[in-house]
Amino acid sequence: MLKHKIVLTLAAMLICLASLAQTGEITPERKRAIDSLALEKVRDLGRYITIIGNKETPFSEGNRVIDRAVELFAEGSEIGVSSLFRTELQYFPVRRYFERLMALNYDKVSVQWYKVQYISDLELQPDGRYVGIITIFQRFEGTTAEGMTYSDVTKKDITVYVERKKTQISGREIEFWDVLLGDIRVKETKAL
Amino acid sequence: MTGYPTAFAYRIARSVWVGLFFFLLLPHLAFAQPVGDYTGDPSAFYAQTKQLNQFIRRFNGEEALGGNRFYPGNALYHDRNLRKGYLETLFDLSNPELTPSLRNSFTQQALDKPFFLDFHGGNWFAEVHATVLYQGKEEDITLFMKLEEEKVGSEWVFFDVYFAPFDKLFASPDPEGLQPAFLHPLSHELDFMNLSKIFRNQQYLESYAAREFRPDHFTLFLWEAKRKALTFKGVNEVKFHFFQMDGWYIEVSEFNREGRNRGWLISQALPLESGQSDLLTRFILRK
């Protein structure tokens, strides 16, 4: 059901963005459409992280969701993590990050996303793609079988690559804007 | 006497505006609930200047209080009162060096001229503090980076490096008893055969260099990295130096702390006289 909803949403946005992709310029209206698609991908990532972190998720299902989550990202993307006590970044390839999340020794994992976000302007990079950063805040809570709870609040700065692509639909060439996630900077932050 | 009604009217208008600023912010704070059942108050996340991009938007008055982007043509785009409200919150209020009079002086000039930060306007750069592994030891390194415009788009590039071990390598004054103390002025008549003597003690080669010689940390860094003597470990801290506003320098740093005065904020502001910006840049680059 969830997968069905995601596919429908993405298809609707693809059609919407295709109509806006007639020129290369990113107008404020097009920027808003791209922002929506990018945020939808970020929300997908959130859903996947919750499933991957949940101990009740069977191992094979967890690996399948990791594959889906990795598909959201551009190749070579990494996640850089720091804490309040260790400012130096630790880098993980995205797949490794998800595998570590799945292997966490918590009986129960809760990942909540604040409805606070900031989406940067899109900047053109030398390869012709646009890049932007979406900032979100997330609360993680893990409880062990013994009842010990660990929680943190992190600021996640998520890279978003936006690229104009072409596809064939019923023999017609349609241009559309595709969005892929890139490197993510995860910084533990003070909650209040 | 003629100025009194104007000042009074200004104070009234200012009070109304400040009230309006917080009034408009409130509905957005009311929506600030996390997905799920966590009931913590995330209003500080709204107030937090979350990216340098948002710092520039707020500085310039290009963002609504709810976070939506204003574009040219919007009635409040670059609005003076909106900017004034934002500018008062964009300083690190815990820094006693940023006195109310200094902040006011900076804000007034930014509003009166008016001045807007320009991401692609040059005259600003990033200072990146990182850790590297060098000769088996973890060392701090400072990379200086700037945004360079390309045929298509732009990219961040290195333009300088500061690395303390390189400083130590070249810091020693000419040692006493160095032999030879110099290459005598008729060395050329001997086809510089005495060069072989100075290379017998290579540790002090810079003693024979021209007065204007300054070790180039950037090239040394690239060389050591290329021959794998230096390994990059990770970034620790980033700050930005802006020299875009006439007569002013500002440093922008990120503050990860409690309260609403956090995120990317002005951590230093200095009024500059003519010629001081070059001097200050050299100081920042440790030249």
Side-chain angles (χ1 to χ4, degrees):
Chain A
M1 183 63 189
L2 177 68
K3 190 181 170 189
H4 185 63
K5 192 179 163 193
I6 291 168
V7 169
L8 277 179
T9 310
L10 287 179
M13 284 182 168
L14 192 70
I15 292 164
C16 171
L17 286 176
S19 65
L20 291 168
Q22 299 308 309
T23 67
E25 192 190 340
I26 294 190
T27 60
E29 293 73 30
R30 182 169 299 160
K31 168 73 164 57
R32 277 191 281 274
I34 291 170
D35 286 351
S36 298
L37 181 56
L39 273 175
E40 192 53 43
K41 295 229 171 184
V42 169
R43 286 189 197 106
D44 288 347
L45 175 64
R47 292 182 193 110
Y48 292 149
I49 284 177
T50 308
I51 297 169
I52 294 165
N54 188 345
K55 282 287 137 191
E56 288 171 13
T57 305
F59 183 74
S60 59
E61 172 69 0
N63 277 318
R64 195 185 65 78
V65 176
I66 286 178
D67 288 343
R68 295 289 83 74
V70 170
E71 283 171 8
L72 294 172
F73 288 85
E75 204 179 319
S77 297
E78 293 188 347
I79 298 184
V81 182
S82 69
S83 71
L84 289 173
F85 306 104
R86 183 190 166 94
T87 56
E88 189 183 305
L89 276 179
Q90 277 188 289
Y91 299 86
F92 303 97
V94 283
R95 182 175 290 278
R96 179 83 191 103
Y97 180 83
F98 294 135
E99 286 168 351
R100 279 171 60 98
L101 179 67
M102 192 160 73
L104 279 180
N105 198 24
Y106 293 113
D107 202 48
K108 190 180 165 196
V109 165
S110 153
V111 181
Q112 295 173 316
W113 302 67
Y114 289 88
K115 285 181 185 170
V116 182
Q117 72 227 3
Y118 180 78
I119 308 174
S120 76
D121 293 325
L122 289 172
E123 289 290 333
L124 186 60
Q125 55 180 37
D127 66 1
R129 289 189 296 172
Y130 285 89
V131 63
I133 304 290
I134 294 182
T135 298
I136 54 150
F137 294 91
Q138 183 192 67
R139 187 172 192 275
F140 174 91
E141 191 172 287
T143 308
T144 63
E146 296 78 34
M148 297 285 285
T149 298
Y150 166 83
S151 71
D152 66 22
V153 176
T154 51
K155 173 176 180 261
K156 287 187 164 64
D157 298 306
I158 304 169
T159 310
V160 172
Y161 294 110
V162 180
E163 187 175 5
R164 202 157 61 136
K165 286 186 173 172
K166 292 177 182 173
T167 188
Q168 294 273 345
I169 296 179
S170 306
R172 266 185 68 206
E173 193 172 73
I174 303 268
E175 285 193 341
F176 66 99
W177 293 87
D178 192 26
V179 173
L180 274 180
L181 305 183
D183 293 341
I184 299 183
R185 169 80 167 94
V186 181
K187 187 182 285 185
E188 188 182 355
T189 189
K190 299 265 190 183
L192 296 172
Chain B
M1 199 51 200
T2 52
Y4 177 72
T6 312
F8 181 71
Y10 172 75
R11 279 204 299 275
I12 293 287
R14 187 173 184 279
S15 304
V16 169
W17 174 253
V18 169
L20 190 63
F21 197 82
F22 286 103
F23 175 75
L24 289 173
L25 197 59
L26 273 176
H28 303 292
L29 301 186
F31 284 119
Q33 300 298 322
V35 178
D37 57 359
Y38 178 61
T39 53
D41 172 18
S43 57
F45 294 153
Y46 269 110
Q48 176 173 345
T49 308
K50 293 167 273 296
Q51 297 179 12
L52 186 75
N53 184 268
Q54 189 173 35
F55 175 86
I56 295 174
R57 294 290 150 257
R58 288 180 167 177
F59 187 102
N60 291 349
E62 296 168 359
E63 180 185 296
L65 295 177
N68 286 336
R69 175 85 156 90
F70 284 144
Y71 290 96
N74 188 291
L76 285 175
Y77 182 78
H78 287 182
D79 179 84
R80 183 187 168 94
N81 286 328
L82 179 71
R83 291 193 70 201
K84 187 168 169 56
Y86 275 137
L87 280 166
E88 286 171 0
T89 66
L90 285 179
F91 288 91
D92 166 23
L93 299 177
S94 71
N95 183 353
E97 288 175 23
L98 297 171
T99 60
S101 104
L102 184 87
R103 299 196 312 255
N104 190 47
S105 170
F106 176 86
T107 302
Q108 280 305 318
Q109 187 179 322
L111 295 173
D112 290 346
K113 279 222 141 171
F115 164 76
F116 302 99
L117 287 172
D118 181 359
F119 184 72
H120 293 285
N123 289 327
W124 71 291
F125 58 90
E127 179 179 336
V128 181
H129 293 267
T131 304
V132 292
L133 199 62
Y134 184 58
Q135 294 177 337
K137 210 172 131 193
E138 281 195 1
E139 301 273 5
D140 294 332
I141 194 166
T142 310
L143 308 170
F144 296 98
M145 311 189 69
K146 64 178 179 179
L147 195 69
E148 195 164 81
E149 299 302 319
E150 295 293 331
K151 281 182 188 165
V152 175
S154 57
E155 63 174 322
W156 279 98
V157 293
F158 302 122
F159 72 92
D160 213 335
V161 166
Y162 173 77
F163 192 43
F166 293 157
D167 247 2
K168 285 180 199 155
L169 194 63
F170 292 99
S172 56
D174 293 356
E176 276 188 38
L178 183 66
Q179 284 299 329
F182 46 79
L183 294 172
H184 66 73
L186 290 179
S187 301
H188 61 289
E189 304 293 3
L190 308 171
D191 293 339
F192 292 103
M193 65 168 281
N194 45 358
L195 274 173
S196 62
K197 292 180 185 168
I198 70 169
F199 279 97
R200 282 175 204 149
N201 189 0
Q202 303 201 74
Q203 192 183 348
Y204 302 112
L205 275 179
E206 70 271 22
S207 299
Y208 306 94
R211 192 178 296 119
E212 62 271 20
F213 167 72
R214 296 285 178 277
D216 174 3
H217 286 207
F218 188 22
T219 308
L220 288 168
F221 159 72
L222 294 177
W223 165 249
E224 294 289 53
K226 274 171 177 279
R227 70 184 194 96
K228 299 187 174 14
L230 182 150
T231 315
F232 189 80
K233 287 209 70 188
V235 173
N236 301 317
E237 189 194 357
V238 178
K239 59 173 82 167
F240 300 94
H241 305 279
F242 284 89
F243 290 88
Q244 289 190 344
M245 183 162 143
D246 273 352
W248 284 91
Y249 154 78
I250 55 169
E251 177 194 81
V252 179
S253 310
E254 189 177 22
F255 295 87
N256 186 2
R257 62 187 177 199
E258 293 179 358
R260 296 185 181 191
N261 182 229
R262 68 180 190 178
W264 291 99
L265 301 170
I266 296 172
S267 47
Q268 288 290 342
L270 291 174
L272 296 176
E273 288 174 14
S274 172
Q276 285 185 326
S277 64
D278 285 347
L279 202 66
L280 184 55
T281 303
R282 285 205 299 276
F283 176 76
I284 294 166
L285 301 178
R286 296 171 181 81
K287 294 288 185 192

